[in-house]
Amino acid sequence: MPLDAKLLEILVCPQCKLELTSVEGGHGLVCSHCQLRYPVRDGVPVLLIEEASDLRANKSKQFSAAKQYPCVKFKIIEGPDLNMLFEIEYGTCRAIGRGSIDTNKTTIFNVDIALALDDDTRSLVLQYIARQFKKHGKSSTTGEVLGQFRRAPDVVLTDSSLSRLHAMMFADESGVGILDLVSKNGTFVNGAEIESYMLKKGDVIELGETTISFEG
């Protein structure tokens, strides 16, 4: 049976403290930020992280059944989104930025989408790709492509010190790069401010109050 609407208003994810969405006719609760599904048993929500299922892992398994693509992994080791994991597949790029938050419901919007780039930012990205990866822009009818990198959904964080679009990361067989998108507080790798940088396993990225480890 569906969960009571008033109960849903006060339930939050135990990991990020953001609101949950009822799914599967009230048999589950999903945190869109953490991508976790919590079970509801006999009408009682079980809000324990160890009981939650990782929706990203499920999607990854479904995707790999068709074809497995190499990817690189990152982990947030300091900041509001502590312990969050994300990946970048070879041949793709992902922007990192601050989510828009409804102060009444503390709901993060723009999760799993790619925000539009203005002309100046798009030009900056294409110049970097052409210089660093020797790949030039082309048009696509199936989604945004930047210099032959397919743009994957943004990595949306709750860190209010980040710019809306703070940096962009790229991965292919030649390496993993990060480009600062003229952010207000800058992007740092291993303590030094950078405009762009080719990452190595173990490098530490700092953006605002967020610290990210390149896991490899």
Side-chain angles (χ1 to χ4, degrees):
M1 62 180 290
L3 290 172
D4 183 83
K6 291 184 178 180
L7 177 61
L8 275 175
E9 289 179 0
I10 62 174
L11 293 178
V12 296
C13 172
Q15 178 162 280
C16 68
K17 310 306 180 185
L18 299 178
E19 72 173 16
L20 298 166
T21 301
S22 178
V23 296
E24 302 166 13
H27 292 289
L29 293 168
V30 167
C31 173
S32 59
H33 178 243
C34 299
Q35 289 290 288
L36 294 176
R37 177 194 177 278
Y38 297 93
V40 176
R41 297 175 183 146
D42 298 324
V44 179
V46 182
L47 300 183
L48 298 173
I49 295 175
E50 58 268 26
E51 293 285 339
S53 56
D54 190 333
L55 299 180
R56 289 166 296 195
N58 292 338
K59 290 178 182 177
S60 176
K61 289 178 182 178
Q62 294 170 3
F63 186 74
S64 63
K67 187 172 183 180
Q68 182 65 47
Y69 289 93
C71 64
V72 291
K73 300 180 180 181
F74 297 85
K75 180 178 182 179
I76 296 179
I77 58 175
E78 188 174 335
D81 300 280
L82 181 66
N83 294 326
M84 176 180 170
L85 302 172
F86 64 93
E87 299 178 345
I88 302 178
E89 292 178 359
Y90 278 26
T92 70
C93 58
R94 298 185 72 177
I96 301 176
R98 168 178 47 81
S100 296
I101 299 179
D102 180 339
T103 55
N104 294 320
K105 296 184 178 181
T106 63
T107 301
I108 295 183
F109 297 113
N110 298 323
V111 175
D112 289 337
I113 68 168
L115 295 175
L117 302 178
D118 61 36
D119 290 343
D120 289 341
T121 303
R122 184 180 180 84
S123 176
L124 175 68
V125 170
L126 290 175
Q127 288 176 26
Y128 168 73
I129 292 172
R131 180 180 71 252
Q132 185 64 59
F133 294 95
K134 312 302 181 186
K135 294 182 177 182
H136 298 274
K138 67 176 183 178
S139 60
S140 170
T141 58
T142 58
E144 185 175 13
V145 174
L146 297 166
Q148 300 183 33
F149 282 92
R150 177 176 58 83
R151 188 176 173 198
D154 297 341
V155 179
V156 181
L157 305 179
T158 59
D159 186 347
S160 61
S161 64
L162 297 179
S163 296
R164 191 69 188 87
L165 282 171
H166 195 102
M168 187 169 283
M169 304 179 76
F170 310 80
D172 73 359
E173 63 281 355
S174 65
V176 180
I178 183 169
L179 172 70
D180 180 75
L181 299 179
V182 196
S183 61
K184 62 181 180 181
N185 290 324
T187 298
F188 298 77
V189 176
N190 300 328
E193 187 169 11
I194 56 96
E195 293 182 358
S196 65
Y197 192 87
M198 293 301 290
L199 296 164
K200 304 180 296 297
K201 182 178 179 180
D203 281 345
V204 174
I205 305 160
E206 296 174 78
L207 313 93
E209 297 177 0
T210 298
T211 303
I212 303 171
S213 171
F214 179 22
E215 303 288 286

